[in-house]
Amino acid sequence: MDDLLGPPDEVVDAVVVGAGVAGMYMVHRLRGLGLSVQGFEAGSDVGGTWYWNRYPGARCDVLSVDYSYSFSGELQQEWDWSERYATQAEILAYLEHVADRYGLRRSFAFDTRVVAARLDEATLRWRVRTDTGRTLDARFFILATGSLSSASVPDIPGLDDFAGDWYHTGQWPHEGVDCAGRRIGVIGTGSSGIQSIPVLAEAAEHLFVFQRTPNYTVPARNRPLSDAERAEIKANYDDRRRRSRASGGGSVHEPYPKSALEVSEDERRAIYEEGWKAGGVLFAKTFPDQLTTLEANETARAFVAAKIRAVVKDQAVADLLVPNDHPIGTKRICTDSYYFETFNRDNVTLVDVRSAPIVAITPEGIRTTEADYALDTIVFATGFDAMTGSVLRIDIRGRGSVALADVWAGGPRTYLGLSISGFPNLFVMTGPGSPSVLANMILAAEHHADWITECIAYLKSIEALAIEATEKAQDDWVAYSNELAEQTLFPATNSWYVGANIPGKPRTFMPFIGGLGTYRTICAGIAERNYEGFRVVAAT
Ligand code: FAD
């Protein structure tokens, strides 16, 4: 690490890590400010999530017309989304279009992973090292490394000896996987599993779904968008975006104006039916108290349980598919196209690995405590080391050579999710402590890029050297975030929001739950008050 402080190969104003939606727009904004920027991306092209997650059935679960950049009216008007929820291929094509339109690729080095960064305390500049051996000296070090970009494959003995092939949904081969006539085992029933299982079932000779925890999923009601719908949305885009930015989750949504507990059973059922028919993740927010009051949540749970039982023919299978260990919505709620129907197929078997856990992968397949399942292909839909995984894979050292991994040993600590005390001029995009995965992440990323750009412009205007969160501001922000989270049903659930999917990961509720609109107001106020809670270091 010390050799990092030797002479650098290149000197730039800013290094941006990651070429997903966050890194792409960040580069665009910084270039607009006249900064020299070098971006790095481990993948071979732009797109981030949408470059990596090419598994069958991969789609967004926020409406495409909302899950897209809002920074340019022209871009917004010229792109036509074909469906309510675009496929991975369409979203990637969109991001490639954005990269072309703004010439973004020239600022990125692809197939290049940033492996280490060290603060030079004398200059408060960053030395950044890549796995291709480049060393850069940069004033600003910006992590757009993604909240769901560190694929997690469970440590099951025997995987290396498996005679078939295996894949993680988040690292799906670009050439695709021929599933026809194969015996496929899917491990995991989170969002990626729920999206891929119906599609894999159509191709496979037999599909075994290894389920530890059943999850709530709401029909996506995906369908093509008509010209008239697109025209209507485009005519009112500015208003739609304004309301989305001010909302809790980054898309237009009004919960029912009454508590789930103050309406009659008939009224409640009618409202849930309406939400179910509309489809999508916002079902989790049908009533305003659904995610804060267990009793209110229970009404939604009961409604969904009945829906599952009505679809699944074998009631013993339905028993296993009805979630029973968490309030609905406190794990990322999923959307699906014919997920529960898939379990009525003759070529699909649900394997309950809660009652009979997987003990090994053998050369022939998967072994549980009860049986052996012969497989040609294993699909790990086992998710990610969320929110902190990709940041901590980089060996980052700040003041006093202190490692970020040590600072975050008990869980991530940030100010606004954007900045870390002891790490001046380092910014995290959509990181822990910001709305991040609880919001429409494109709008969340745009907000961060805009805020960081304005902050850097401010530093330029007063000729300051650096900006750094104070420890007090960071402590207060962490305490405030935790306090808000504790007012909800989220922290008690074993979800990836609290790191429960990664063995040994410290348990903290990582995203800021106060809502995107509120968060934006807080961030704007802090900037207006000359970056309250930050220490600005003068140039001399
Ligand atoms: P990413 O897209 O993850 O990009 C980060 C990039 O950084 C990656 O390409 C990675 O290779 C690169 N990187 C990381 N570390 C390094 C390093 N050290 N050196 C070099 N490069 C590095 N969000 C929504 O709001 N709505 C949705 O509908 C939605 N659907 C999703 C569906 C799936 C299957 C998944 C996995 C996620 C989904 N998300 C959704 C979340 C999604 O991750 C974000 O919406 C968004 O794409 C994140 O963009 P990003 O730029 O922050 O990160």
Side-chain angles (χ1 to χ4, degrees), residues 63-66 68 76-77 79 81 83-84 223 225-241:
L63 293 176
S64 300
V65 294
D66 295 321
S68 47
Q76 220 163 234
Q77 292 296 327
W79 187 265
W81 291 107
E83 296 176 88
R84 257 160 74 86
R223 57 171 174 76
L225 288 176
S226 68
D227 287 343
E229 281 173 303
R230 272 193 293 266
E232 210 266 324
I233 288 163
K234 285 185 182 181
N236 299 297
Y237 236 143
D238 288 349
D239 182 53
R240 187 180 182 103
R241 296 300 202 178

mmCIF file of all heavy atoms in Angstrom, residues 63-66 68 76-77 79 81 83-84 223 225-241:
data_model
loop_
_atom_site.group_PDB
_atom_site.id
_atom_site.type_symbol
_atom_site.label_atom_id
_atom_site.label_comp_id
_atom_site.label_asym_id
_atom_site.label_seq_id
_atom_site.Cartn_x
_atom_site.Cartn_y
_atom_site.Cartn_z
ATOM 1 N N LEU A 63 -41.717 1.451 -12.560
ATOM 2 C CA LEU A 63 -42.165 1.692 -13.941
ATOM 3 C C LEU A 63 -41.035 2.315 -14.762
ATOM 4 O O LEU A 63 -40.398 3.275 -14.314
ATOM 5 C CB LEU A 63 -43.374 2.626 -13.948
ATOM 6 C CG LEU A 63 -44.666 2.084 -13.338
ATOM 7 C CD1 LEU A 63 -45.737 3.161 -13.325
ATOM 8 C CD2 LEU A 63 -45.154 0.842 -14.090
ATOM 9 N N SER A 64 -40.833 1.806 -15.979
ATOM 10 C CA SER A 64 -39.721 2.293 -16.807
ATOM 11 C C SER A 64 -39.767 3.799 -17.028
ATOM 12 O O SER A 64 -38.727 4.454 -17.070
ATOM 13 C CB SER A 64 -39.765 1.621 -18.174
ATOM 14 O OG SER A 64 -39.659 0.258 -18.008
ATOM 15 N N VAL A 65 -40.975 4.326 -17.181
ATOM 16 C CA VAL A 65 -41.054 5.767 -17.441
ATOM 17 C C VAL A 65 -40.552 6.571 -16.247
ATOM 18 O O VAL A 65 -40.171 7.739 -16.391
ATOM 19 C CB VAL A 65 -42.498 6.199 -17.810
ATOM 20 C CG1 VAL A 65 -42.911 5.593 -19.141
ATOM 21 C CG2 VAL A 65 -43.483 5.829 -16.704
ATOM 22 N N ASP A 66 -40.534 5.928 -15.076
ATOM 23 C CA ASP A 66 -39.973 6.584 -13.889
ATOM 24 C C ASP A 66 -38.525 6.143 -13.661
ATOM 25 O O ASP A 66 -37.707 6.921 -13.174
ATOM 26 C CB ASP A 66 -40.804 6.235 -12.646
ATOM 27 C CG ASP A 66 -42.216 6.783 -12.742
ATOM 28 O OD1 ASP A 66 -42.373 7.913 -13.249
ATOM 29 O OD2 ASP A 66 -43.151 6.079 -12.326
ATOM 30 N N SER A 68 -35.718 5.960 -15.135
ATOM 31 C CA SER A 68 -34.949 6.465 -16.271
ATOM 32 C C SER A 68 -34.474 7.861 -15.866
ATOM 33 O O SER A 68 -35.018 8.468 -14.946
ATOM 34 C CB SER A 68 -35.826 6.532 -17.521
ATOM 35 O OG SER A 68 -37.066 7.139 -17.222
ATOM 36 N N GLN A 76 -35.462 12.495 -22.271
ATOM 37 C CA GLN A 76 -36.749 11.967 -21.818
ATOM 38 C C GLN A 76 -37.760 11.875 -22.960
ATOM 39 O O GLN A 76 -38.527 10.931 -23.051
ATOM 40 C CB GLN A 76 -37.279 12.952 -20.780
ATOM 41 C CG GLN A 76 -37.928 12.352 -19.602
ATOM 42 C CD GLN A 76 -38.022 13.365 -18.481
ATOM 43 O OE1 GLN A 76 -37.576 13.085 -17.402
ATOM 44 N NE2 GLN A 76 -38.600 14.511 -18.703
ATOM 45 N N GLN A 77 -37.740 12.876 -23.811
ATOM 46 C CA GLN A 77 -38.733 12.911 -24.897
ATOM 47 C C GLN A 77 -38.362 11.978 -26.045
ATOM 48 O O GLN A 77 -39.218 11.453 -26.730
ATOM 49 C CB GLN A 77 -38.887 14.345 -25.441
ATOM 50 C CG GLN A 77 -39.520 15.314 -24.457
ATOM 51 C CD GLN A 77 -40.950 14.967 -24.090
ATOM 52 O OE1 GLN A 77 -41.691 14.436 -24.898
ATOM 53 N NE2 GLN A 77 -41.344 15.242 -22.846
ATOM 54 N N TRP A 79 -36.711 9.042 -25.949
ATOM 55 C CA TRP A 79 -36.677 7.595 -25.699
ATOM 56 C C TRP A 79 -38.094 7.055 -25.503
ATOM 57 O O TRP A 79 -38.880 7.623 -24.755
ATOM 58 C CB TRP A 79 -35.830 7.271 -24.462
ATOM 59 C CG TRP A 79 -35.660 5.790 -24.301
ATOM 60 C CD1 TRP A 79 -36.417 4.971 -23.527
ATOM 61 C CD2 TRP A 79 -34.714 4.958 -24.959
ATOM 62 N NE1 TRP A 79 -35.990 3.676 -23.657
ATOM 63 C CE2 TRP A 79 -34.941 3.631 -24.540
ATOM 64 C CE3 TRP A 79 -33.686 5.200 -25.879
ATOM 65 C CZ2 TRP A 79 -34.186 2.554 -25.002
ATOM 66 C CZ3 TRP A 79 -32.926 4.121 -26.330
ATOM 67 C CH2 TRP A 79 -33.188 2.819 -25.884
ATOM 68 N N TRP A 81 -40.169 3.879 -24.115
ATOM 69 C CA TRP A 81 -40.179 2.605 -23.398
ATOM 70 C C TRP A 81 -41.274 1.722 -23.971
ATOM 71 O O TRP A 81 -42.395 2.198 -24.178
ATOM 72 C CB TRP A 81 -40.407 2.824 -21.898
ATOM 73 C CG TRP A 81 -39.237 3.483 -21.249
ATOM 74 C CD1 TRP A 81 -39.157 4.773 -20.813
ATOM 75 C CD2 TRP A 81 -37.959 2.882 -20.981
ATOM 76 N NE1 TRP A 81 -37.909 5.019 -20.289
ATOM 77 C CE2 TRP A 81 -37.152 3.875 -20.376
ATOM 78 C CE3 TRP A 81 -37.400 1.617 -21.184
ATOM 79 C CZ2 TRP A 81 -35.835 3.646 -19.974
ATOM 80 C CZ3 TRP A 81 -36.091 1.382 -20.792
ATOM 81 C CH2 TRP A 81 -35.326 2.378 -20.195
ATOM 82 N N GLU A 83 -42.528 -1.209 -22.694
ATOM 83 C CA GLU A 83 -43.419 -1.893 -21.750
ATOM 84 C C GLU A 83 -43.478 -1.134 -20.430
ATOM 85 O O GLU A 83 -42.624 -0.286 -20.164
ATOM 86 C CB GLU A 83 -42.888 -3.310 -21.458
ATOM 87 C CG GLU A 83 -42.874 -4.240 -22.635
ATOM 88 C CD GLU A 83 -42.237 -5.575 -22.255
ATOM 89 O OE1 GLU A 83 -42.974 -6.445 -21.780
ATOM 90 O OE2 GLU A 83 -41.023 -5.735 -22.421
ATOM 91 N N ARG A 84 -44.437 -1.522 -19.602
ATOM 92 C CA ARG A 84 -44.484 -0.920 -18.257
ATOM 93 C C ARG A 84 -43.166 -1.146 -17.528
ATOM 94 O O ARG A 84 -42.595 -0.229 -16.955
ATOM 95 C CB ARG A 84 -45.598 -1.601 -17.445
ATOM 96 C CG ARG A 84 -46.868 -0.795 -17.308
ATOM 97 C CD ARG A 84 -48.013 -1.714 -16.942
ATOM 98 N NE ARG A 84 -47.972 -2.182 -15.558
ATOM 99 C CZ ARG A 84 -48.482 -1.508 -14.520
ATOM 100 N NH1 ARG A 84 -49.038 -0.331 -14.682
ATOM 101 N NH2 ARG A 84 -48.470 -2.026 -13.299
ATOM 102 N N ARG A 223 -47.121 -5.097 -19.316
ATOM 103 C CA ARG A 223 -47.772 -5.120 -20.635
ATOM 104 C C ARG A 223 -47.143 -4.015 -21.471
ATOM 105 O O ARG A 223 -46.485 -3.116 -20.940
ATOM 106 C CB ARG A 223 -49.287 -4.913 -20.515
ATOM 107 C CG ARG A 223 -49.647 -3.642 -19.830
ATOM 108 C CD ARG A 223 -51.128 -3.298 -19.895
ATOM 109 N NE ARG A 223 -51.394 -2.122 -19.083
ATOM 110 C CZ ARG A 223 -51.107 -0.884 -19.417
ATOM 111 N NH1 ARG A 223 -50.510 -0.624 -20.567
ATOM 112 N NH2 ARG A 223 -51.387 0.126 -18.612
ATOM 113 N N LEU A 225 -46.709 -0.632 -23.496
ATOM 114 C CA LEU A 225 -47.288 0.710 -23.360
ATOM 115 C C LEU A 225 -47.820 1.138 -24.720
ATOM 116 O O LEU A 225 -47.181 0.875 -25.745
ATOM 117 C CB LEU A 225 -46.210 1.703 -22.907
ATOM 118 C CG LEU A 225 -45.733 1.601 -21.461
ATOM 119 C CD1 LEU A 225 -44.595 2.589 -21.218
ATOM 120 C CD2 LEU A 225 -46.868 1.862 -20.480
ATOM 121 N N SER A 226 -48.944 1.795 -24.725
ATOM 122 C CA SER A 226 -49.501 2.250 -26.011
ATOM 123 C C SER A 226 -48.901 3.610 -26.357
ATOM 124 O O SER A 226 -48.368 4.323 -25.490
ATOM 125 C CB SER A 226 -51.018 2.364 -25.912
ATOM 126 O OG SER A 226 -51.344 3.426 -25.039
ATOM 127 N N ASP A 227 -49.017 3.987 -27.615
ATOM 128 C CA ASP A 227 -48.539 5.312 -28.047
ATOM 129 C C ASP A 227 -49.242 6.408 -27.249
ATOM 130 O O ASP A 227 -48.622 7.391 -26.856
ATOM 131 C CB ASP A 227 -48.824 5.513 -29.547
ATOM 132 C CG ASP A 227 -47.881 4.659 -30.384
ATOM 133 O OD1 ASP A 227 -46.851 4.206 -29.844
ATOM 134 O OD2 ASP A 227 -48.190 4.431 -31.574
ATOM 135 N N ALA A 228 -50.524 6.187 -27.018
ATOM 136 C CA ALA A 228 -51.294 7.215 -26.302
ATOM 137 C C ALA A 228 -50.777 7.371 -24.869
ATOM 138 O O ALA A 228 -50.634 8.497 -24.367
ATOM 139 C CB ALA A 228 -52.771 6.838 -26.297
ATOM 140 N N GLU A 229 -50.468 6.242 -24.219
ATOM 141 C CA GLU A 229 -49.947 6.322 -22.845
ATOM 142 C C GLU A 229 -48.602 7.056 -22.811
ATOM 143 O O GLU A 229 -48.353 7.902 -21.956
ATOM 144 C CB GLU A 229 -49.752 4.910 -22.269
ATOM 145 C CG GLU A 229 -51.027 4.256 -21.794
ATOM 146 C CD GLU A 229 -50.796 2.807 -21.404
ATOM 147 O OE1 GLU A 229 -50.310 2.021 -22.246
ATOM 148 O OE2 GLU A 229 -51.097 2.460 -20.264
ATOM 149 N N ARG A 230 -47.749 6.694 -23.767
ATOM 150 C CA ARG A 230 -46.424 7.339 -23.820
ATOM 151 C C ARG A 230 -46.574 8.840 -24.046
ATOM 152 O O ARG A 230 -45.903 9.648 -23.395
ATOM 153 C CB ARG A 230 -45.583 6.719 -24.937
ATOM 154 C CG ARG A 230 -44.807 5.498 -24.484
ATOM 155 C CD ARG A 230 -43.760 5.121 -25.516
ATOM 156 N NE ARG A 230 -44.381 4.665 -26.739
ATOM 157 C CZ ARG A 230 -44.619 3.379 -27.023
ATOM 158 N NH1 ARG A 230 -44.257 2.444 -26.175
ATOM 159 N NH2 ARG A 230 -45.186 3.032 -28.151
ATOM 160 N N ALA A 231 -47.470 9.194 -24.956
ATOM 161 C CA ALA A 231 -47.650 10.617 -25.276
ATOM 162 C C ALA A 231 -48.157 11.369 -24.045
ATOM 163 O O ALA A 231 -47.706 12.477 -23.736
ATOM 164 C CB ALA A 231 -48.628 10.767 -26.437
ATOM 165 N N GLU A 232 -49.059 10.729 -23.325
ATOM 166 C CA GLU A 232 -49.637 11.371 -22.140
ATOM 167 C C GLU A 232 -48.550 11.601 -21.072
ATOM 168 O O GLU A 232 -48.458 12.666 -20.471
ATOM 169 C CB GLU A 232 -50.756 10.463 -21.612
ATOM 170 C CG GLU A 232 -51.884 11.164 -20.915
ATOM 171 C CD GLU A 232 -51.671 11.211 -19.409
ATOM 172 O OE1 GLU A 232 -51.142 10.245 -18.829
ATOM 173 O OE2 GLU A 232 -52.020 12.238 -18.835
ATOM 174 N N ILE A 233 -47.738 10.571 -20.886
ATOM 175 C CA ILE A 233 -46.663 10.688 -19.891
ATOM 176 C C ILE A 233 -45.668 11.770 -20.311
ATOM 177 O O ILE A 233 -45.273 12.626 -19.511
ATOM 178 C CB ILE A 233 -45.963 9.322 -19.699
ATOM 179 C CG1 ILE A 233 -46.895 8.379 -18.936
ATOM 180 C CG2 ILE A 233 -44.630 9.478 -18.964
ATOM 181 C CD1 ILE A 233 -46.539 6.920 -19.026
ATOM 182 N N LYS A 234 -45.311 11.769 -21.574
ATOM 183 C CA LYS A 234 -44.314 12.747 -22.045
ATOM 184 C C LYS A 234 -44.851 14.179 -21.936
ATOM 185 O O LYS A 234 -44.094 15.107 -21.658
ATOM 186 C CB LYS A 234 -43.901 12.434 -23.480
ATOM 187 C CG LYS A 234 -42.958 11.230 -23.547
ATOM 188 C CD LYS A 234 -42.450 10.978 -24.941
ATOM 189 C CE LYS A 234 -41.547 9.746 -24.957
ATOM 190 N NZ LYS A 234 -40.988 9.462 -26.284
ATOM 191 N N ALA A 235 -46.141 14.331 -22.158
ATOM 192 C CA ALA A 235 -46.717 15.680 -22.086
ATOM 193 C C ALA A 235 -46.662 16.219 -20.656
ATOM 194 O O ALA A 235 -46.627 17.430 -20.439
ATOM 195 C CB ALA A 235 -48.155 15.646 -22.592
ATOM 196 N N ASN A 236 -46.653 15.298 -19.685
ATOM 197 C CA ASN A 236 -46.686 15.740 -18.271
ATOM 198 C C ASN A 236 -45.445 15.319 -17.495
ATOM 199 O O ASN A 236 -45.474 15.201 -16.277
ATOM 200 C CB ASN A 236 -47.934 15.149 -17.587
ATOM 201 C CG ASN A 236 -49.194 15.636 -18.249
ATOM 202 O OD1 ASN A 236 -49.474 16.831 -18.248
ATOM 203 N ND2 ASN A 236 -49.932 14.729 -18.875
ATOM 204 N N TYR A 237 -44.360 15.068 -18.230
ATOM 205 C CA TYR A 237 -43.180 14.487 -17.573
ATOM 206 C C TYR A 237 -42.643 15.378 -16.441
ATOM 207 O O TYR A 237 -42.287 14.895 -15.368
ATOM 208 C CB TYR A 237 -42.064 14.231 -18.591
ATOM 209 C CG TYR A 237 -41.576 12.791 -18.612
ATOM 210 C CD1 TYR A 237 -41.203 12.172 -19.808
ATOM 211 C CD2 TYR A 237 -41.470 12.044 -17.436
ATOM 212 C CE1 TYR A 237 -40.749 10.854 -19.837
ATOM 213 C CE2 TYR A 237 -41.016 10.733 -17.458
ATOM 214 C CZ TYR A 237 -40.653 10.145 -18.663
ATOM 215 O OH TYR A 237 -40.209 8.851 -18.679
ATOM 216 N N ASP A 238 -42.572 16.666 -16.703
ATOM 217 C CA ASP A 238 -41.944 17.533 -15.694
ATOM 218 C C ASP A 238 -42.685 17.454 -14.367
ATOM 219 O O ASP A 238 -42.086 17.335 -13.297
ATOM 220 C CB ASP A 238 -41.900 18.986 -16.185
ATOM 221 C CG ASP A 238 -40.875 19.145 -17.291
ATOM 222 O OD1 ASP A 238 -40.089 18.183 -17.497
ATOM 223 O OD2 ASP A 238 -40.867 20.188 -17.954
ATOM 224 N N ASP A 239 -44.012 17.468 -14.461
ATOM 225 C CA ASP A 239 -44.813 17.402 -13.251
ATOM 226 C C ASP A 239 -44.639 16.033 -12.573
ATOM 227 O O ASP A 239 -44.498 15.928 -11.346
ATOM 228 C CB ASP A 239 -46.284 17.645 -13.597
ATOM 229 C CG ASP A 239 -47.140 17.633 -12.357
ATOM 230 O OD1 ASP A 239 -46.821 18.384 -11.415
ATOM 231 O OD2 ASP A 239 -48.117 16.849 -12.311
ATOM 232 N N ARG A 240 -44.616 14.984 -13.392
ATOM 233 C CA ARG A 240 -44.438 13.628 -12.862
ATOM 234 C C ARG A 240 -43.098 13.512 -12.115
ATOM 235 O O ARG A 240 -43.009 12.949 -11.027
ATOM 236 C CB ARG A 240 -44.481 12.653 -14.043
ATOM 237 C CG ARG A 240 -44.478 11.212 -13.663
ATOM 238 C CD ARG A 240 -44.529 10.313 -14.884
ATOM 239 N NE ARG A 240 -44.583 8.936 -14.459
ATOM 240 C CZ ARG A 240 -45.674 8.188 -14.449
ATOM 241 N NH1 ARG A 240 -46.811 8.665 -14.864
ATOM 242 N NH2 ARG A 240 -45.627 6.935 -14.003
ATOM 243 N N ARG A 241 -42.055 14.071 -12.709
ATOM 244 C CA ARG A 241 -40.726 14.013 -12.082
ATOM 245 C C ARG A 241 -40.690 14.838 -10.794
ATOM 246 O O ARG A 241 -40.089 14.443 -9.812
ATOM 247 C CB ARG A 241 -39.662 14.536 -13.050
ATOM 248 C CG ARG A 241 -39.484 13.704 -14.304
ATOM 249 C CD ARG A 241 -39.074 12.275 -13.995
ATOM 250 N NE ARG A 241 -38.433 11.677 -15.151
ATOM 251 C CZ ARG A 241 -37.924 10.462 -15.188
ATOM 252 N NH1 ARG A 241 -38.016 9.672 -14.138
ATOM 253 N NH2 ARG A 241 -37.335 10.002 -16.277
#
